[in-house]
Amino acid sequence: MLPLTGLKVVELGHYIAAPFCTRLLADLGAEVIKVEPPGGDPFRGWGAKHNGHSVWFSVHGRNKLSVTLDLKSEEGKRRVKALCARADAVVENFRPGYLERIGLGPEVLHAANPNLIIARISGYGQDGPYRDKPAFGAIGEAMGGLRHLTANPGQSEYPPPRCGVSISDDLAGMYAALAIASACWGRERGNNAGKVLDLDLVSSVFSLMEGMLPEHGLFGWVRQPAGAAIPTAAPTNTYPCADGKWLCVAGNSDLIFARLMALIGRPELAADPRMATNGGRCEHAAELDAAIADWTRTLPAKEAEALLEGAEVPCSRLYDIADCATDPHFLARGMVQKVADPLLGEVLHPAPPFRFDGIAPAEMIRWPGRAAGADNDHVFHELLGEAR
Ligand SMILES: CC(C)(COP(=O)(O)OP(=O)(O)OC[C@H]1O[C@@H](n2cnc3c(N)ncnc32)[C@H](O)[C@@H]1OP(=O)(O)O)[C@@H](O)C(=O)NCCC(=O)NCCSC(=O)C(=O)O
């Protein structure tokens, strides 16, 4: 049995943040009822279509029931209240104040179910001077401090790279899932605090800034961008190879550093007192990076990777999605699942990344995302008991 079997969750979500939170809860076994506008979540229009259906939604909507209703209609509001009355939690990611404006704010939902946990995900949070501003994931990266760090030093004419996926939505969604699980734990033990949970994109990213804030507070330091490197550990960087590919190498512990220097034929650097500690190596990171790159440039990435693996130095080529889909380790761990999707045919899904002993990864993908409103009949008539 999946760990969250029996937990009932309503999603009033769109795009990524709230739907990602409920995807995690659904993968873990919760019953998730996703409420979509009559035309479907706008996210269904993102990425490729096949047979007229969204390919991304096969993953994004998996293990969920989909109902369509107009939140602003009387019938829609009545149904949302009825769904919340039988639920443990509701997750939403509208702009702060939207639910209140249409008459579905926390007071109304708690009148329908006093024990309901209401998780709210927004760009900036439910209070503070920016609360009313709309936001997408890129804004979380920008204001949370991440985008400043991913810039390449010396390339100020190029915009600092975006992190390829909507990482701030995913982070806020993960935090929301953890917050919901925590609130459920508290509620089971009579702790009535924490029924309205407030998560936001910019704080979710900001919370990951490691030691930068205490350093700033104590010393006034402002961490500067380091591109593919990181100023607090060395040597660790991404190095060019003979075949034009990139290799990520993390040789930043004393023992691993010594093995790495021996492998690349520079044992004198391992013996150099300047390089004896991580702090010293950080000061001389450019010299170490140049030595490692001199070695990687002589070999195709796969060969360099194999030699580094032989020396037990953490490393990886930079995988694209085709590499991920065919890698023997991901395959052996069940990370690439073939799912029979009635709308799309056979579709590859990434398995949930958590493992519970006794539960196979495939068991966590109960069904792929369905068409908008596919479960209207089941939910409205069987679960809510409306007359046909
Ligand atoms: C995503 C948003 C920027 C979208 O902003 P807006 O388009 O201005 O919408 P609002 O939040 O104000 O929500 C009101 C609109 O929701 C629509 N709406 C949605 N579902 C329904 C249903 N079921 N019924 C009726 N109306 C609905 C409707 O058109 C409303 O507009 P009316 O006609 O006015 O009533 C914002 O919701 C937001 O900041 N959310 C919090 C942060 C977040 O989650 N961002 C997106 C993550 S995805 C992402 O960031 C990324 O991919 O990158």
Side-chain angles (χ1 to χ4, degrees), residues 12-18 35-38 42-43 46 68-73 92-96 98 101-102 121-124 132-139 162 165-169 201:
L12 303 178
H14 55 178
Y15 299 102
I16 297 180
V35 174
E36 304 186 59
F43 185 82
W46 290 23
T68 46
L69 50 83
D70 179 359
L71 289 173
K72 287 180 281 183
S73 71
E92 64 106 354
N93 68 323
F94 293 110
R95 263 195 275 175
Y98 182 70
R101 209 159 57 242
I102 60 170
I121 309 178
S122 59
Y124 301 85
D132 294 329
K133 300 199 317 173
F136 281 101
I139 310 304
R162 179 185 171 119
V165 295
S166 297
I167 193 78
S168 23
D169 298 278
L201 307 188

Side-chain angles (χ1 to χ4, degrees), residues 8 49 52 108 115 134 147 196 208 231 281 302 320 346 355 364 371 376 386:
K8 294 190 181 74
K49 288 241 155 106
V108 175
N115 289 320
R147 201 64 84 83
V196 181
L208 299 186
R281 292 193 295 271
K302 259 194 179 172
D320 60 22
E346 187 180 272
R355 295 283 178 277
M364 295 182 130
N376 283 359
E386 290 181 11

